[in-house]
Amino acid sequence: DVKVTQSSRYLVKRTGEKVFLECVQDMDHENMFWYRQDPGLGLRLIYFSYDVKMKEKGDIPEGYSVSREKKERFSLILESASTNQTSMYLCASSLGQEAFFGQGTRLTVV
Amino acid sequence: QQPVQSPQAVILREGEDAVINCSSSKALYSVHWYRQKHGEAPVFLMILLKGGEQKGHDKISASFNEKKQQSSLYLTASQLSYSGTYFCGTKNGGATNKLIFGTGTLLAVQP
């Protein structure tokens, strides 16, 4: 069975902290994605990676960075967390057609 | 850049039909449809590629009009299990696998 695993389901962090969200897939997929989901705004793409060390900005990259040192792992970094980054974060991976999602990380920044 | 979906929400009775639309301001290479049940991850329904094809998936089908840069998802004789939020995802070129999702449509099917 295909699996995309996000390291935490729930996370509470303080304003100004550096936050790491980890995502691991076991399908040898080249493409990995980070989205944030907010009510009424759908799924917004933060960053996309199409290979190890390769990345592309999505629609809302400000305040975020990413790291892909190994094919199976894609990390989202909040350099200095702010309250407006409180959201549900979803990671996905795909070969090109069907994308598989992780269960999401609900991040609250206080 | 996000595709726009309409309606934002729809309430149906079991057995009724629904149409969800997805419209992009950019040329589309492919359209992908997903359903997300409450508290769960989005799950792939189907993909439509350039060429205006229509695809089916049980009583759920979709069409893709690349000239109009639009896709529609058709849910026929809806069941309670169809409830959830539907997202269209789009890719704008053959060379990229960047997948942009729309704003979502909440579908509630009542007994």
Side-chain angles (χ1 to χ4, degrees), chain A:
Chain A
D1 237 9
V2 153
K3 214 161 182 185
V4 178
T5 304
Q6 293 184 229
S7 50
S8 308
R9 287 297 300 268
Y10 300 94
L11 216 49
V12 179
K13 294 291 180 180
R14 294 200 179 277
T15 303
E17 273 192 80
K18 190 167 186 174
V19 181
F20 294 84
L21 301 185
E22 308 285 347
C23 175
V24 177
Q25 50 101 356
D26 65 358
M27 296 161 284
D28 204 35
H29 286 169
E30 280 130 9
N31 307 296
M32 295 188 76
F33 308 82
W34 275 107
Y35 297 93
R36 67 177 278 179
Q37 183 171 17
D38 300 287
L41 298 177
L43 296 166
R44 291 183 292 165
L45 181 65
I46 306 171
Y47 267 100
F48 157 57
S49 169
Y50 50 92
D51 204 346
V52 174
K53 297 190 192 289
M54 306 305 284
K55 62 187 178 189
E56 227 179 278
K57 288 180 182 179
D59 291 338
I60 51 163
E62 299 79 18
Y64 303 95
S65 61
V66 289
S67 170
R68 190 147 179 224
E69 296 296 318
K70 291 186 177 182
K71 195 173 187 182
E72 67 270 18
R73 187 180 296 270
F74 191 33
S75 303
L76 180 69
I77 303 149
L78 286 69
E79 296 292 340
S80 175
S82 65
T83 53
N84 63 14
Q85 291 178 309
T86 290
S87 187
M88 171 67 85
Y89 290 87
L90 286 164
C91 172
S93 75
S94 88
L95 261 181
Q97 297 216 342
E98 179 176 357
F100 297 87
F101 283 83
Q103 287 301 306
T105 295
R106 169 80 58 190
L107 173 68
T108 303
V109 183
V110 297

Side-chain angles (χ1 to χ4, degrees), chain B residues 4 16 22:
Chain B
V4 176
E16 290 182 337
C22 174

Side-chain angles (χ1 to χ4, degrees), chain B residues 28-71:
Chain B
L28 296 176
Y29 174 78
S30 62
V31 179
H32 309 232
W33 285 97
Y34 286 75
R35 175 171 62 209
Q36 183 181 33
K37 291 183 180 282
H38 183 69
E40 298 180 11
V43 172
F44 177 78
L45 291 175
M46 66 186 78
I47 180 174
L48 299 102
L49 300 174
K50 250 175 96 160
E53 65 177 286
Q54 186 144 356
K55 277 203 154 187
H57 185 273
D58 196 11
K59 291 187 179 130
I60 301 175
S61 62
S63 62
F64 177 21
N65 186 325
E66 63 191 81
K67 277 189 182 172
K68 290 188 176 179
Q69 294 164 192
Q70 290 174 348
S71 177

Side-chain angles (χ1 to χ4, degrees), chain B residues 93-110:
Chain B
T96 178
N97 282 309
K98 190 171 174 180
L99 181 60
I100 305 287
F101 282 97
T103 45
T105 296
L106 178 63
L107 179 78
V109 181
Q110 297 178 340

